[in-house]
Amino acid sequence: MAAPMTEQVDGGDALLSPALSDSDSDPVSEDGRLPEYVVELVDREIGGDLKSLKKIGALLEKLTAENKLLEEQSEVDEGLTTGYPQSVQVLTVSSSVPLRVSSALSEAEQSRQEAESLLQRERMLSNTLQQHLQGAQPWADSLGQVLGQLDTIDRHMKYLQCLARIEELSDSIQQCLMTNSVWEAVGAVDGMASLDLGLQESGCAHLQAFLRETLAFWHKILKDRLAGDLQEVLTQLHWPFLSPPVESLSPPPNVQELYSQLELLVPQLLSLQTSDDLISEKKPHPSRAGLPPDTPLSLPIQIMILPLSKRFRYHFTGNRQTNSLNKPEWYLTQVLMWMGNNSKFMEEKIQPILDRADAKINAKAELCRGLLSLAQEKLAHDAPRLLYDDTLFCHLVDEILQFERELRTTHSYPSMLPGALHILLEEAVLQKWLTVERKMAVEKVDAMLSAEGAWSSQYRDISDMDELKAPECAETFMTLLLVITDRYRSLPCSRAQLSFLALQRELVDDFRIRLTQVMKEDSRCPLGSRYCAILNAANYISTVLSDWADNVFFLQLQQAAVTLGEEVWGPLGATEVGRLASLEGSLFEGLLGLLERLRGDMLGRLLEAVMREVREKAQPYIRDRWLSLPSQLDQATMSLSSSACPMMLCLRDRLLQLQQLLCLPLFQSFWQSLAERLDQFLYQDVILYNHFNEGGAAQLQFDMTRNLFPLFGHYCKRPENFFKHVKEACIILSLNIGSALLLRDVLQRAEEEEESVTPDPQRPSPESALNELGVYRLAPCDVQILLSLRASWPGQ
């Protein structure tokens, strides 16, 4: 298209010049070439088709019209700057805006045309590309077939190479075995195992099966040979040790040679570990159904455990007398004994060999793991058979827990490896365990509550150990809960632990209900020893549960409860979950609230009973002759009012009695509440009920400060602080006549000033006047009432 375009442009320069050039410039550049915008215009309007030359006339007319319009616009612009008449300038300015709009529309139209041109070129290129692809499709199909054939040939070649490699390794192993080159044979078997691993994702089932069969064939031959050699060496070294090793036992004469052979055989067997795992991975042991998956034992340890495994199965399977369902301790103890007897040999002889072979294996732990698997299989087989016999099942649980403790402590079995407790986590076994624990706990609670000494403390004769004065039933109950905690503490599952915690909460609530029932039976005699023992029991349980709430184990369970709460506890509210998560609350918070409510209710009943007696004994004291008592100056010595003696004796006896019956925290709470109630009673029923002369006020003060307050002085340093109403009332009633008149005047003036509009700020406040006398609790209005109770005023 370039050549025809050049010819047309060269011959049509004159035609294009009016539209493409200014009046003073030529569109042809100095080097004889047309500007790019001219070429683009010709290319856009005419194209490369020679038949389009007929469009030149129309194009010339269009460009001439556009050129004329531009010239007119230019003349108008010049008139604006050369001083044309004002009317012409206004006309030109008014027409300039439509010209600009026209210019914008023209540019928009040009842009639209350019876009259409681009779309047309895109369609042309697309058509050309489709034609090219259609023409190239046969070549692509042909090439694809060739590439597919090459890929098939390549896969066949690789398949044949794998077969050849298998045959090569197989021949190499056979040759090495014939020449007794064990290490080379082991290396070839290891290479075959690596090839097996590489083919697992290939999908070549037949090739994999052939390779696995070949590997199993040579692996068995090599393993049997090495295992036989290792067993022969171990036999000469007196392995296994069925009883504790004896130092005096003379070693075999060729012991160094045996250890050298051991040093060689163990690494060779370790090198067969990969192939051994591959062969055994599809053959799970049928007796391990339901047991947690674990990594295979290292091959040397497997061979070393074989004689012990044979002994175990001989004694504890079949119809042997040693295979007894009610004696699980026989085989569990036997496994622990074998671990202890053979651990020294594993640590001193086998572990150094493993370390030199750079095997990350703990020989003693591997031995324990292998022997533990025997016990696990036996337990998994026997446990379902004991679900319907509570006695045998409980015995089995106890033995498993004891076995686990021995395994972890005595034999230092790593905590990250599973022990025997997972047998108890099977759903049927776990539910049976929970049911039995609940049943036995309820039976023990029934027995302990009906026992003769249920409500007496077993440490009552030992003052240092009887601070909480817990009755025997409460202490036995909390011991029962502690034993349950010790049972499930080591379980490796938080969900199971929370299930047992829910059982404990249920038992505590049931025991609280039982305490409430017994308390109601004794509510008519709240000062009896059994009533106080029930109160001590509730306080003891609450104290122990509060300590448990801060225990690390229960705090960990609390965090687990936040995660698993809905599965174990049911739906928890957002507030409760937040309190548990932030450790503001505890798992025992609800129970503690109920126990606190029971304790408060019982203390209230006890306090009411004592106050009832005090009120009865205080009636003569209330009706005493407070207006006619002789003055203190008229008496040689002051003594307790005879009418107050019954009340004081009652208080003394009850305080001494309850100090012996209640634990210290409860007794402190009791006497403080009693002092507060007494303060209110004496103030309202004795003091406010009577009028006092000077002798009566002095006698009242003597009775209170020298007799009542010292009764409580045995339990605190300043007992008068618990009788503030009585103490301050005695101060007011005992004021000399001058001080009393002055105080009454101050209080009356203060009352008048409160009613006046302009109080005197210089006058002291009644509160400051009372504070100077030691009165802080009573209000000015109360003091005025007390002053009115005085009988000795001037003029009366």
Side-chain angles (χ1 to χ4, degrees), residues 456-477:
S456 60
S457 173
Q458 56 181 331
Y459 304 113
R460 57 184 176 274
D461 298 328
I462 309 175
S463 58
D464 294 342
M465 300 181 62
D466 200 31
E467 294 181 357
L468 293 178
K469 291 184 172 59
E472 187 173 347
C473 63
E475 194 161 5
T476 306
F477 175 72

Side-chain angles (χ1 to χ4, degrees), residues 295-523:
T295 56
L297 284 173
S298 58
L299 194 52
I301 308 299
Q302 291 182 33
I303 297 170
M304 295 179 71
I305 289 178
L306 280 177
L308 295 174
S309 176
K310 291 178 181 179
R311 286 179 175 273
F312 185 89
R313 289 185 170 85
Y314 175 82
H315 289 291
F316 303 114
T317 57
N319 297 323
R320 302 289 187 279
Q321 291 183 353
T322 50
N323 181 28
S324 175
L325 277 177
N326 58 355
K327 295 294 182 180
E329 64 270 22
W330 285 355
Y331 60 85
L332 293 176
T333 303
Q334 186 63 73
V335 167
L336 292 173
M337 289 176 58
W338 285 343
M339 289 180 184
N341 296 338
N342 297 279
S343 293
K344 183 178 180 181
F345 181 82
M346 300 300 293
E347 291 176 339
E348 295 181 356
K349 304 303 179 183
I350 303 300
Q351 188 63 53
I353 299 175
L354 296 176
D355 293 340
R356 284 190 287 271
D358 199 23
K360 307 301 180 182
I361 298 174
N362 187 321
K364 179 182 176 181
E366 283 289 279
L367 171 70
C368 294
R369 192 158 69 96
L371 293 174
L372 177 62
S373 65
L374 302 176
Q376 290 173 336
E377 294 172 6
K378 178 64 175 171
L379 289 171
H381 180 266
D382 287 354
R385 303 167 62 189
L386 300 177
L387 294 179
Y388 304 101
D389 191 319
D390 292 351
T391 303
L392 293 182
F393 181 82
C394 291
H395 181 59
L396 176 67
V397 171
D398 290 338
E399 291 300 327
I400 292 176
L401 294 174
Q402 180 63 28
F403 175 80
E404 184 76 14
R405 282 192 290 270
E406 290 285 332
L407 184 66
R408 302 294 181 181
T409 57
T410 304
H411 300 285
S412 303
Y413 192 65
S415 58
M416 71 284 300
L417 296 177
L421 292 180
H422 67 274
I423 301 296
L424 302 176
L425 297 180
E426 292 292 327
E427 188 61 27
V429 178
L430 180 61
Q431 293 303 320
K432 177 64 176 180
W433 186 8
L434 288 167
T435 302
V436 171
E437 287 284 3
R438 181 183 293 103
K439 176 183 176 182
M440 296 185 66
V442 171
E443 292 176 354
K444 289 180 180 179
V445 169
D446 292 337
M448 68 179 67
L449 288 177
S450 59
E452 183 177 354
W455 302 107
S456 60
S457 173
Q458 56 181 331
Y459 304 113
R460 57 184 176 274
D461 298 328
I462 309 175
S463 58
D464 294 342
M465 300 181 62
D466 200 31
E467 294 181 357
L468 293 178
K469 291 184 172 59
E472 187 173 347
C473 63
E475 194 161 5
T476 306
F477 175 72
M478 295 310 296
T479 302
L480 172 65
L481 292 185
L482 185 61
V483 170
I484 294 177
T485 302
D486 291 337
R487 288 174 182 272
Y488 74 82
R489 180 190 295 270
S490 55
L491 288 178
C493 176
S494 298
R495 184 179 291 102
Q497 291 176 334
L498 287 171
S499 298
F500 278 96
L501 182 60
L503 170 62
Q504 288 179 304
R505 286 161 49 100
E506 179 184 337
L507 293 175
V508 171
D509 194 50
D510 178 70
F511 193 78
R512 178 192 62 82
I513 294 173
R514 291 170 182 260
L515 290 179
T516 305
Q517 293 171 347
V518 179
M519 180 269 293
K520 290 181 178 179
E521 295 175 2
D522 289 4
S523 59

Side-chain angles (χ1 to χ4, degrees), residues 466-469 527 532 536 606 610 651-668 670-671 674 711-716:
D466 200 31
E467 294 181 357
L468 293 178
K469 291 184 172 59
L527 296 173
C532 294
N536 286 332
L606 187 61
V610 174
L651 283 172
R652 184 199 65 180
D653 294 342
R654 291 310 181 192
L655 286 172
L656 290 175
Q657 175 191 0
L658 294 175
Q659 186 181 19
Q660 296 296 322
L661 293 177
L662 295 177
C663 64
L664 181 59
L666 287 176
F667 180 70
Q668 286 181 339
F670 168 78
W671 75 255
L674 179 62
L711 276 179
F712 292 85
H714 297 287
Y715 316 118
C716 64

Side-chain angles (χ1 to χ4, degrees), residues 567-588:
E567 300 180 23
V568 180
W569 304 97
L572 299 173
T575 303
E576 185 175 358
V577 172
R579 288 178 57 80
L580 290 177
S582 62
L583 300 181
E584 294 181 8
S586 72
L587 295 172
F588 304 104

Side-chain angles (χ1 to χ4, degrees), residues 675-707:
E676 182 181 351
R677 294 283 293 273
L678 273 174
D679 183 44
Q680 293 291 332
F681 166 71
L682 292 173
Y683 178 71
Q684 294 178 0
D685 290 31
V686 177
I687 297 175
L688 296 182
Y689 185 78
N690 292 285
H691 287 75
F692 299 85
N693 64 358
E694 182 180 352
Q699 185 63 49
L700 176 67
Q701 186 175 29
F702 180 83
D703 293 342
M704 297 296 103
T705 58
R706 301 295 297 276
N707 292 278

Side-chain angles (χ1 to χ4, degrees), residues 155-204:
R155 287 189 285 108
H156 288 173
M157 289 294 295
K158 290 181 178 179
Y159 197 95
L160 294 175
Q161 288 174 359
C162 286
L163 287 175
R165 179 59 178 166
I166 295 171
E167 294 293 338
E168 179 185 350
L169 290 172
S170 182
D171 294 341
S172 175
I173 295 170
Q174 183 178 15
Q175 186 68 27
C176 291
L177 291 177
M178 293 176 62
T179 59
N180 204 25
S181 301
V182 180
W183 267 118
E184 287 78 0
V186 169
V189 170
D190 189 57
M192 195 175 291
S194 300
L195 184 59
D196 188 305
L197 290 172
L199 287 177
Q200 286 184 354
E201 303 297 331
S202 66
C204 301

